[in-house]
Structure formats: structure tokens, C-alpha cells
Amino acid sequence: MDLDLTPDEDAFRAEARAWLAAHVPADPLPSLETAEGFAAHRAWEAELSADRWSVVSWPEEFGGRGVDIFKWLVFEEEYYAAGAPGRVSQNGINLLAPTLFDHATDEQRARVLPSMASGEVIWAQAWSEPEAGSDLASLRSRAVRTDGGWLLHGQKTWSSRAAFADRAFGIFRTDPDAPKPHQGLTYLMFDLRAPGVTVRPIGRLDGKPAFAELFLDEVFVPDEDVIGEPGRGWRIAMSTTGNERGLTLRSPGRFLASAERLLRLWRERGEDPAVRDRVADALIGARAYQLFTYANASRFAAGEQIGAESSLNKVFWSEYDMALHETALDLLGADGETAAGEWAEGYVFSLAGPIYAGTNEIQRDIIAERLLGLPKGRR
């Protein structure tokens, strides 16, 4: 792994830095977990897209710049270092889009990806159900064959962004007689404003609706919105979750920027010696995660797959994110308890990290069994 950037990569970094310096809003946008903030972040996605910065690694025909994974990492570092807004489109860009590139038809990619890149259509993730979270194969929501498509029935829950999003993606049981739970599932995209869809927002600890329940009653989905072969949705879904647990959802640029902000906070607060080691750990952790990610990127570039090692990634960033925000709140003291600023909101969001994208308990089982070769634990 060569950590030295090429002249071309240095030039790309300079171009990205200059654009962000000229365009990042001077004042933070309202929380994207509110209607006002969601609209403001959608407008920011459109501004990014207008100069093809919203999806730099995508092919140009879909609104990207066609850059490789190393330039994508460089852009992410610059993006977060500039204090740019959180990405309201991340479910679509980081989860659905890689799935479409790997498994969709040319028609689906041409129809779905440009509006995703521009923020015109924001996507929600509809995986979990009341009795199917980490054990996703036990889901019970169905898709029943009808003329020209499918009718959805059932309930999804903890659907990220669904309170304000336009469309959603998930898997549904299409063959209830399949011999195994993970068989007979189909991967579908559907409109959250279609007849038969009821969206019920779920408030976080701060009351903002970061998630929602979806109730589906004979919701029609045309055949053109089925991704891959009907009944083979599990294999496609595992492709999506691999991206979710891997590097795309939590790029190292995000943590490098947060660790630097934490260091500034520590100095502003009088360099409290009681938390000095925790601040140092945050800086070391961000740098270690960056190097780990570049190592994985090198493997991608060499044509290798990450597979079960994405579970290592997921456990690390989810626990790191909580520890970093807890340190910041301890430095803020009473101010941290009452402030509605980015540290407080970031902390509330970080609490969900060990749960979503597959709980950390499940990830540790995967690490034990598939990477370390240990016996299966009790389920």
C-alpha cells in the first residue's frame, strides 16, 4: 500500500478543496431530521450535483466524475474537513446505488441513478421489521404476484430517512413455501407516496423523526422496480449490507474531521488533563481507521473482495463514534447536556451505530465464525 498521493490526486484534492471553500454554507444547515432541514439538505445535494461533486466515483453518464476509490477517499477527507453538511442522500448513494451497479438492468440504472445523484429523489432503507432486524431472513412482509407487478403487504420499521424521503428499497417474501428462510425473497423499490403506504415517524431521544414505520397494504410495484431475479433477493441484499458495514457508510474523512474538532474543543476548554488520554485515543483511532480503509481500498483496486472482514469495520466505527462523542460531551459538561449543537445531535445518532447495519453482537459472531474459525455460538 502506497500512502503517497500522485500529482493527479493532489490536483484533485486542490480542486475539491477550492470548490468546497466557495460553496459550503457559512452557517450549519438545520438538522436533516426535520422537514425544514431535510429540504435544505436536498437543496445542498442539488448544488453538489450541479458541479458533479455529489457522486464523484460514479460514471459521468450518471452524474459522477468517474474517479477511483482513492480519489473518492480524498474527496471525503476534504468534504468533512470543510465542515460540509451531512448527506441526506446517503442511503441511496451508499447502499442502493452499489446494488444497482452490480445487479440492476441498464434501464434501471439510467432511470434511477441521475435523480438520486441530484437529490431530486431521496431514498429510505426499508429492511427491518418488528420481528426481523439482525435476523433479516425471518422477515414476513410479502410481495404477491399480480398483473404487471407485485402487491406489497406488511410492516417495516426503523426505516432511516423514511419520514421525509420519496422512495424506499427492501426485500420481501415472494415464496412463503421456500425450504429455507433466506430463499424466496425478492428485492424491490417502491414509492413512499403510493396508495396503500402509511408512514408513521419514530422520534429519537431528541424527538426528531430520524426513522419511521411503514405500513404496506396492497401497494403496487411494477415489474420494472424489481432488482435482479425474483426469489433471489437474499444474495442481492447481502451485497447491500456488505457496503453498509464496509467503508462506504463511514468514510475515514468523517472521523478525522471529528477527531480534529474534538482536539480543538479540548484546547478551548483548558486542556482538561482528565480527558487527555481519551482525546489522544480519538486521534489515534481516526488515523488507524484511515490506514485500515486505505489498505482495504488497495485490496479493492487489486480486484479482491472484503467479505466478512466488513464486520470488523462496522464494529470499529460504531464503537469509535460513540466514544468520540461521549468524550466531547464530557468536555462540554453541563453545556453538553443542554446544547442542541452538533456534538449533542451527533451523540444521539451515534447511539444507533451498534444496532443498525446488523447489531455488533451479530458482527462479533460473524468475526468469530468466519474469520477466526471458532465454533458456532448459541442462537
Side-chain angles (χ1 to χ4, degrees):
M1 181 177 66
D2 185 357
L3 294 176
D4 294 326
L5 297 182
T6 66
D8 185 45
E9 289 165 343
D10 280 331
F12 179 78
R13 181 187 291 279
E15 183 184 2
R17 183 177 295 175
W19 189 91
L20 290 163
H23 291 82
V24 169
D27 297 320
L29 300 182
S31 169
L32 58 82
E33 313 297 1
T34 64
E36 176 193 13
F38 201 90
H41 281 76
R42 190 195 292 268
W44 169 247
E45 296 288 343
E47 188 171 351
L48 282 170
S49 178
D51 287 329
R52 296 188 296 117
W53 290 109
S54 68
V55 286
V56 294
S57 62
W58 289 13
E60 293 185 12
E61 65 184 293
F62 301 125
R65 290 173 173 249
V67 305
D68 63 19
I69 192 170
F70 297 104
K71 283 186 177 177
W72 174 77
L73 288 166
V74 165
F75 174 73
E76 290 284 300
E77 290 174 6
E78 292 300 320
Y79 188 88
Y80 286 103
R87 302 294 302 275
V88 72
S89 61
Q90 68 174 16
N91 282 326
I93 290 173
N94 294 336
L95 302 180
L96 179 58
T99 304
L100 292 171
F101 282 122
D102 289 343
H103 301 282
T105 65
D106 290 342
E107 183 279 328
Q108 288 174 322
R109 285 190 281 268
R111 174 165 51 90
V112 174
L113 292 174
S115 61
M116 182 190 297
S118 68
E120 179 184 354
V121 176
I122 303 294
W123 290 81
Q125 186 183 31
W127 289 126
S128 298
E129 299 185 3
E131 296 181 19
S134 294
D135 184 15
L136 187 61
S138 65
L139 64 85
R140 295 190 297 184
S141 290
R142 295 173 295 129
V144 179
R145 201 76 176 94
T146 189
D147 289 342
W150 304 79
L151 292 175
L152 306 186
H153 304 261
Q155 178 186 355
K156 299 288 184 177
T157 192
W158 304 116
S159 296
S160 305
R161 307 282 178 269
F164 306 113
D166 307 294
R167 291 174 64 79
F169 56 93
I171 52 176
F172 292 82
R173 193 163 299 286
T174 49
D175 181 3
D177 298 322
K180 295 183 178 179
H182 62 276
Q183 296 176 346
L185 300 170
T186 298
Y187 201 121
L188 295 156
M189 301 178 285
F190 58 98
D191 191 336
L192 287 172
R193 299 185 180 88
V197 177
T198 300
V199 179
R200 183 182 296 171
I202 300 174
R204 296 188 310 200
L205 287 174
D206 59 5
K208 295 171 184 168
F211 311 95
E213 294 177 287
L214 306 177
F215 297 90
L216 308 168
D217 182 14
E218 293 195 342
V219 178
F220 178 73
V221 177
D223 284 327
E224 66 180 13
D225 280 344
V226 175
I227 302 176
E229 182 181 346
R232 303 291 299 275
W234 182 258
R235 183 175 63 88
I236 303 171
M238 291 304 98
S239 170
T240 303
T241 58
N243 282 299
E244 186 176 30
R245 294 165 191 165
L247 62 87
T248 57
L249 188 61
R250 290 289 173 263
S251 67
R254 177 176 185 268
F255 295 129
L256 287 167
S258 294
E260 287 296 328
R261 283 199 298 121
L262 179 64
L263 177 61
R264 291 196 296 272
L265 179 66
W266 179 68
R267 288 172 171 161
E268 290 166 4
R269 292 274 162 167
E271 301 186 0
D272 184 350
V275 293
R276 180 188 57 192
D277 289 350
R278 293 164 63 191
V279 174
D281 285 344
L283 291 163
I284 293 168
R287 180 65 171 158
Y289 184 65
Q290 180 195 31
L291 295 175
F292 181 71
T293 303
Y294 270 87
N296 279 339
S298 297
R299 292 175 56 189
F300 272 126
E304 296 182 36
Q305 298 294 318
I306 301 303
E309 291 181 33
S310 63
S311 295
L312 292 170
N313 213 44
K314 197 272 174 175
V315 170
F316 181 86
W317 62 248
S318 58
E319 296 187 348
Y320 173 86
D321 202 21
M322 279 199 308
L324 184 146
H325 282 87
E326 286 170 352
T327 303
L329 291 184
D330 286 346
L331 280 168
L332 289 167
D335 292 342
E337 297 293 329
T338 57
E342 55 186 336
W343 284 119
E345 179 151 336
Y347 174 68
V348 171
F349 183 79
S350 75
L351 295 176
I355 300 172
Y356 68 79
T359 66
N360 282 8
E361 288 79 4
I362 294 294
Q363 303 315 308
R364 286 191 164 88
D365 280 348
I366 292 172
I367 293 166
E369 296 167 12
R370 301 183 193 176
L371 297 180
L372 302 178
L374 298 177
K376 285 184 175 294
R378 290 184 177 181
R379 296 287 196 271

